Amino acid sequence: MTKIFTSAEAAVADIPDGASVAIAGFGVGHSYPNSLVIALKEQGARRLCLVANSLGAGEYRPELLLENGQVSKAILSFSARPGLPSLVEERAAAGELVLEMVPQGILVERLRAAGAGLPAFYSPVTVGTPLAKNKEVRQFGGRQYVLEHALAVDYALIRGFRADTQGNVEFRGSSMHFHPSFAKGARVAIVEVEEIVEAGAIAPERVGLPGIFVARVVLSTKKVAVPKGAMRRRAPDTRRKYFGKPALSRMELAERAAALLPENACVNLGSGLPTLVASHVAGRNITLHAENGALGYELLSESGTPDPDLFDAAGGFIEMRPGGALFDSVVSFEVARSGKLAAVLLGAYQVAQNGDLANWSVPGQVGGGIGGAMDLIAGASRLIIVMEHSDSKGRAKLVRECSYPLTAPRCVDVIVTDLALLVRRGEQFVIEEVAPGFSVDEVRALTDMDLLAAEQVGSMRPGAGTASVSA
């Protein structure tokens, strides 16, 4: 029986009401199976359980299935993103949709486990967070682990670069991410590709997903236009004012954080402010890791031409350095959880005095945006929080206890804000530097936690050295 289908409509025609469907794709619009998503919308199957990293954005977003009244449950890593409206959140809050939040690395691992015939596994991720509630927790080697169950689905909709008539799939660039694990966890995996070739046209070592895991192959017909320009990370040279005085700009803040990274380090940059750090490591022997499956990359140069299949975890276009590597999300989170990263830089909603971190959900949200943060932290890398000192309403982000849902307990090592550099010593943070023009007392006045001050508090200059944050 041939695996080649004449159209996306034919490939999804038998998906029944009540089916579970995993849809691979990254961020708001990278490498989604657009043709299959639209075909499933037009096919009209109801009461679907959708499994995805997020439901995307744009003309062909999987969220269209939700808008069309076809979804009764969603299992996601992102149900909401800052500044964007979320239909998932609205429906879940109204009781019209069941929402389950899963960290990104655990999501791919649960599907991979289903494909590997493993019913469950223990993970260090989500320990001490609301996501561990009602789950079995055991200790191994003196550390706590949460039991996670395999996640098998009826269908997976994925996207590749090329496929042959045997169903072998080749991927390009950093666009492999969720696709292999989603396909392996499905009873029926359907892939759309740019090109279908005869068996043997794809060299065996270039096969990213063996055809034995693929049931159906179609040509892609729904294309997303590639943005013009390099999408280089910039931030307006604006500065927040505290006590009527300007603090560090966002780019100065990112530059100071970049200087904390030691040479020969492998680091991960989270979304938001931490992504700006990438602009300040050019020319340094620092290896950047992106959880969508890139290791050893840099931002696309101003003169570079964007490749839709080369992007980082924040959606920015990249180019690979000599010696870099590309792989799927399973391998990427193996890098993170195994402790291979020297540092992880993340943003935060709140950091507590004892180092607790809250950065994925705020009061009033049913879900939030977990992404890969919990998995990255579980690798016991040095965690550096990069953020503005107060939130947009002037409220303290450095608090005695987090009132927002925890991402992980006692995990933050260093905080870099537009006012101060703070290092955790035991159960308390120490002010090591303050922004020019500000005093220790002014920093304390804007902070809702007890702070110690170093014997010699330095000036927080962009590009300063790293001695003050040595372990």
Side-chain angles (χ1 to χ4, degrees):
M1 180 180 294
T2 181
K3 294 186 177 183
I4 309 303
F5 278 58
T6 56
S7 67
E9 291 76 14
V12 303
D14 64 343
I15 296 180
D17 293 350
S20 54
V21 183
I23 302 179
F26 207 93
V28 296
H30 283 289
S31 53
Y32 281 87
N34 302 320
S35 309
L36 293 169
V37 168
I38 297 303
L40 182 56
K41 175 180 177 290
E42 294 173 350
Q43 189 256 33
R46 302 282 164 171
R47 303 191 311 279
L48 299 176
C49 171
L50 287 193
V51 179
N53 177 48
S54 75
L55 297 185
E59 185 179 2
Y60 306 121
R61 64 192 182 281
E63 190 184 55
L64 293 173
L65 301 172
L66 191 63
E67 291 181 1
N68 201 38
Q70 295 175 253
V71 181
S72 61
K73 181 177 181 178
I75 302 174
L76 306 171
S77 296
F78 286 93
S79 64
R81 294 178 184 274
L84 294 177
S86 171
L87 184 59
V88 175
E89 289 279 323
E90 292 177 14
R91 296 280 174 86
E96 300 170 0
L97 175 85
V98 176
L99 175 61
E100 179 182 346
M101 299 299 298
V102 183
Q104 198 175 95
I106 299 306
L107 182 65
V108 294
E109 200 66 27
R110 288 178 65 189
L111 281 134
R112 186 204 67 81
L118 302 175
F121 58 91
Y122 284 98
S123 160
V125 183
T126 76
V127 171
T129 78
L131 298 188
K133 185 178 180 180
N134 299 325
K135 293 183 180 180
E136 179 187 336
V137 179
R138 289 186 61 183
Q139 280 202 356
F140 297 92
R143 187 179 183 186
Q144 290 187 321
Y145 292 79
V146 175
L147 182 66
E148 298 284 358
H149 290 87
L151 179 57
V153 295
D154 298 317
Y155 295 84
L157 310 183
I158 70 170
R159 185 184 184 99
F161 170 54
R162 291 198 301 173
D164 66 20
T165 53
Q166 299 296 312
N168 295 308
V169 181
E170 179 183 359
F171 299 96
R172 282 191 74 248
S174 57
S175 63
M176 185 183 298
H177 47 81
F178 303 108
H179 299 292
S181 58
F182 277 31
K184 292 172 185 177
R187 178 176 58 84
V188 178
I190 309 172
V191 57
E192 68 172 79
V193 291
E194 300 297 314
E195 182 183 10
I196 298 174
V197 297
E198 292 299 320
I202 301 175
E205 64 271 18
R206 296 185 67 87
V207 173
L209 178 65
I212 197 165
F213 293 108
V214 176
R216 304 169 188 176
V217 178
V218 299
L219 280 173
S220 178
T221 57
K222 308 293 185 184
K223 308 292 178 66
V224 175
V226 180
K228 295 180 180 180
M231 285 180 65
R232 188 174 177 82
R233 298 267 162 67
R234 290 194 183 92
D237 193 25
T238 56
R239 303 165 187 270
R240 284 196 177 182
K241 287 188 176 181
Y242 304 89
F243 304 109
K245 298 180 290 186
L248 296 183
S249 70
R250 291 168 67 88
M251 287 303 283
E252 288 174 336
L253 169 56
E255 185 180 358
R256 181 64 189 96
L260 301 177
L261 304 177
E263 294 297 310
N264 304 312
C266 179
V267 302
N268 181 283
L269 306 179
S271 296
L273 259 174
T275 64
L276 300 177
V277 173
S279 299
H280 302 286
V281 298
R284 296 184 60 190
N285 190 21
I286 291 176
T287 301
L288 296 181
H289 165 268
E291 55 261 38
N292 61 308
L295 183 67
Y297 69 90
E298 58 189 26
L299 297 181
L300 185 63
S301 64
E302 290 292 340
S303 60
T305 301
D307 184 326
D309 289 322
L310 278 174
F311 54 92
D312 63 11
F317 291 114
I318 61 172
E319 50 196 359
M320 299 303 294
R321 286 181 172 181
L326 298 164
F327 33 77
D328 74 346
S329 294
V330 170
V331 173
S332 192
F333 285 109
E334 288 173 348
V335 171
R337 291 194 301 267
S338 65
K340 300 297 190 295
L341 298 174
V344 173
L345 281 69
L346 299 175
Y349 295 138
Q350 291 181 329
V351 177
Q353 187 165 301
N354 65 354
D356 289 353
L357 171 66
N359 77 345
W360 69 275
S361 185
V362 299
Q365 285 186 320
V366 181
I370 300 174
M374 291 186 180
D375 296 88
L376 293 166
I377 294 169
S381 305
R382 191 163 184 77
L383 180 57
I384 301 172
I385 297 301
V386 184
M387 65 181 189
E388 287 164 324
H389 203 86
S390 302
D391 70 13
S392 59
K393 296 182 179 179
R395 296 172 298 195
K397 300 176 75 171
L398 304 179
V399 296
R400 285 179 173 80
E401 293 184 4
C402 291
S403 58
Y404 295 2
L406 287 191
T407 305
R410 291 179 168 82
C411 59
V412 178
D413 299 298
V414 179
I415 303 170
V416 189
T417 79
D418 52 351
L419 284 184
L421 170 66
L422 307 102
V423 179
R424 182 160 67 98
R425 309 293 184 194
E427 296 289 299
Q428 205 159 12
F429 281 93
V430 178
I431 302 173
E432 298 280 354
E433 298 176 2
V434 296
F438 290 88
S439 68
V440 169
D441 287 341
E442 287 174 321
V443 171
R444 283 177 167 150
L446 295 167
T447 306
D448 190 24
M449 65 165 66
D450 295 328
L451 292 174
L452 299 175
E455 289 187 10
Q456 291 186 331
V457 177
S459 177
M460 193 180 175
R461 302 182 311 280
T466 63
S468 62
V469 296
S470 58

